[in-house]
Amino acid sequence: MTSVLFTNVRLIDGTGAQPYGGEVLVQGNRIARVARGTRALPPSGATVIDGAGATLMPGMVEAHTHFSWNDAAGLADLQRLPLEEHVLWSANVAKRYLEAGWTSCVGAACAKPRLDVVTRNAINQGLIPGPRYLAGSQEITVAGGLGDETLPHLPFPEFSFGVLVSGAEEMRKVVRMFLKYGVDHVKLNLSGDNFTPSSPAGTTWMSDEEVAIAVKEAHMRGKRVAAHARSCESIKQCVRHGVEIIYHASFTDEEALDMLEANRDRHFVAPGIGILVAMLDHAAPWGITRAKAVEMGYEVELAAAAESLKKMHKRGIRVLPGGDYGFAFTPHCENARDLEYFVKYIGMTPMEALLSATKYGGEIMMRGDELGQLKDGYLADLMLVDGDPLSNLGILRDQSRILAVMKDGAFYKEPEIRTAQSRWGRSVA
Ligand SMILES: [Zn+2]
């Protein structure tokens, strides 16, 4: 069994405890011991990593990932990529996420039916490097809703990145198809989105019958459901029907917040706040000036989302980072922007922002008792960071500051500061 000892590191252990100097011994794919102080753990036989005071923390978890989004400025561009290139693209993005410190990701929908499942399987089989991954379906939508990119004069429904259904029976069939392909959860587009002017964010598109049958079919197979839900009514649909993973959740009222709070152990909210900020502040090079973004409704939505999420956070509803990275204005691997936005817009402390990416991350991966914290017996998913993320969360999106990334006990980014010998002169096993 391989054994690695991290020494001389400052630990942010993902429990909420203040940082402390300590050591972590990894044996095989698990954390054998976490200890405070120096020279607390025996190095015998271990490869010793002297962190020189760097921060060791749990690997981060992205709650709303789109490996197949291709850094384009528009939705139609997702489908212009042929399948073969799209598979390779997704595999490459998965590798980049892992190297950037995202050791687990929840797929929030893929652009073609099996892209997520195939990527997850290849990672699990060791064919490609990538995070622990829960595979999503394509987005399931209805005519006119987000994801319906069909054109009236062209008979190609495949051109839509969403799969169109109408009515409970079509929903049942499509959900069963994705379950057959092996998804971990299905993704429903319940609300509109300001990106598509004909179905703005505050509107709700899917019927209760359609949502109910999707949830029933997924739960029958022990799988979860995730939803694009920006409108107030769509958030209530999520709670009423038991949709576990709620994406966006921008517009709320007291009733929606009460419903969420009463069921806060069941739901996760991953708002994807980064895309709202990006549309207002970073999309001008692609023709969406701030004035245009305001006209599209993004200023109103960001203000509403900040209010809603602040209240959710206060009520103990789990809010997690990630969302809609993979567009031109939200390029892949900039995902840790969300942590800074959680502080700026939602009022989290930097420590709370880190917990949202680690402790809550383990929970959304359904492995809260063994993932997302540095604890004895937990899975060895961790990252070594140059500097203090609590005083500057921005370093988490600076690749040069991510000194090492370990997943399941193996390095996917090797530390340069590895010492070849244990500190008492014994050779490394
Ligand atoms: Zn999304």
Side-chain angles (χ1 to χ4, degrees):
M1 186 160 49
T2 59
S3 171
V4 176
L5 177 66
F6 293 90
T7 185
N8 196 14
V9 286
R10 184 170 169 275
L11 294 171
I12 297 178
D13 63 14
T15 66
Q18 285 307 305
Y20 54 92
E23 297 190 317
V24 171
L25 178 66
V26 173
Q27 282 178 335
N29 70 334
R30 295 204 178 249
I31 295 169
R33 288 282 308 281
V34 179
R36 287 175 184 264
T38 50
R39 304 205 168 197
L41 298 174
S44 50
T47 299
V48 178
I49 309 295
D50 186 336
T55 299
L56 190 70
M57 58 177 272
M60 299 184 290
V61 180
E62 225 282 359
H64 179 159
T65 318
H66 297 294
F67 286 159
S68 58
W69 272 210
N70 56 347
D71 286 348
L75 297 171
D77 292 325
L78 285 174
Q79 295 308 71
R80 291 209 174 94
L81 200 58
L83 181 59
E84 296 84 350
E85 280 86 346
H86 223 151
V87 174
L88 292 171
W89 171 271
S90 302
N92 183 251
V93 172
K95 173 175 179 279
R96 289 171 52 204
Y97 272 58
L98 181 56
E99 289 167 353
W102 300 94
T103 51
S104 292
C105 294
V106 178
C110 46
K112 297 187 177 80
R114 296 175 62 247
L115 282 175
D116 257 17
V117 164
V118 166
T119 305
R120 178 204 61 198
N121 291 350
I123 293 168
N124 289 347
Q125 290 160 9
L127 296 175
I128 58 170
R132 297 178 196 276
Y133 193 55
L134 295 180
S137 66
Q138 266 178 292
E139 299 189 6
I140 302 174
T141 190
V142 297
L146 173 68
D148 173 8
E149 294 285 310
T150 56
L151 297 167
H153 63 296
L154 292 177
F156 304 119
E158 295 81 7
F159 196 67
S160 281
F161 68 91
V163 180
L164 266 67
V165 300
S166 179
E169 276 315 305
E170 283 188 25
M171 176 64 87
R172 188 198 303 273
K173 187 174 174 187
V174 164
V175 169
R176 284 177 173 175
M177 178 189 77
F178 282 118
L179 293 170
K180 168 182 149 179
Y181 291 160
V183 298
D184 293 297
H185 48 269
V186 291
K187 167 88 181 279
L188 308 178
N189 284 358
L190 304 186
S191 80
D193 193 290
N194 289 331
F195 211 76
T196 49
S198 56
S199 56
T203 57
T204 306
W205 288 76
M206 208 168 268
S207 71
D208 274 311
E209 296 94 308
E210 289 163 333
V211 182
I213 202 80
V215 174
K216 184 177 171 210
E217 290 293 332
H219 286 182
M220 262 170 49
R221 298 280 164 262
K223 305 298 180 186
R224 294 189 293 182
V225 181
H228 173 96
R230 293 187 182 276
S231 70
C232 188
E233 172 54 25
S234 66
I235 296 166
K236 292 177 188 175
Q237 281 184 318
C238 289
V239 183
R240 277 204 302 275
H241 296 289
V243 172
E244 290 89 352
I245 302 172
I246 305 176
Y247 290 137
H248 308 303
S250 301
F251 297 100
T252 54
D253 58 15
E254 277 304 298
E255 186 188 29
L257 293 166
D258 288 345
M259 289 168 73
L260 270 175
E261 186 179 355
N263 295 280
R264 65 185 182 189
D265 293 336
R266 182 163 66 168
H267 297 286
F268 298 90
V269 172
I273 195 166
I275 190 85
L276 301 179
V277 178
M279 294 304 285
L280 286 162
D281 293 340
H282 305 301
W286 297 275
I288 303 171
T289 59
R290 185 169 178 100
K292 167 93 172 133
V294 169
E295 188 192 311
M296 290 167 81
Y298 282 106
E299 194 172 47
V300 169
E301 186 176 1
L302 178 58
E307 265 320 292
S308 295
L309 295 163
K310 240 181 239 168
K311 290 174 184 163
M312 286 181 213
H313 178 55
K314 279 204 185 108
R315 288 172 180 239
I317 296 155
R318 293 171 290 188
V319 176
L320 285 77
D324 292 327
Y325 287 87
F327 287 111
F329 18 83
T330 52
H332 284 300
C333 297
E334 282 287 310
N335 310 50
R337 281 182 191 173
D338 275 35
L339 301 180
E340 294 163 82
Y341 298 151
F342 281 180
V343 173
K344 181 174 177 185
Y345 294 101
I346 306 180
M348 285 189 189
T349 63
M351 178 62 91
E352 287 171 338
L354 285 185
L355 291 177
S356 75
T358 54
K359 181 173 188 288
Y360 288 172
E363 293 172 13
I364 199 173
M365 292 298 291
M366 299 185 289
R367 307 181 86 163
D369 57 349
E370 60 172 357
L371 190 66
Q373 300 176 61
L374 304 184
K375 275 187 180 175
D376 295 1
Y378 271 51
L379 290 162
D381 286 18
L382 33 88
M383 60 196 285
L384 190 63
V385 183
D386 175 21
D388 178 14
L390 291 173
S391 58
N392 178 10
L393 287 165
I395 63 178
L396 294 175
R397 56 187 168 81
D398 178 350
Q399 307 298 305
S400 70
R401 308 288 291 271
I402 310 297
L403 303 175
V405 178
M406 174 180 270
K407 184 194 105 183
D408 212 34
F411 279 117
Y412 286 86
K413 188 168 187 180
E414 292 267 356
E416 283 177 16
I417 46 180
R418 170 198 292 254
T419 52
Q421 295 218 313
S422 80
R423 64 194 165 209
W424 290 321
R426 264 171 286 170
S427 328
V428 172

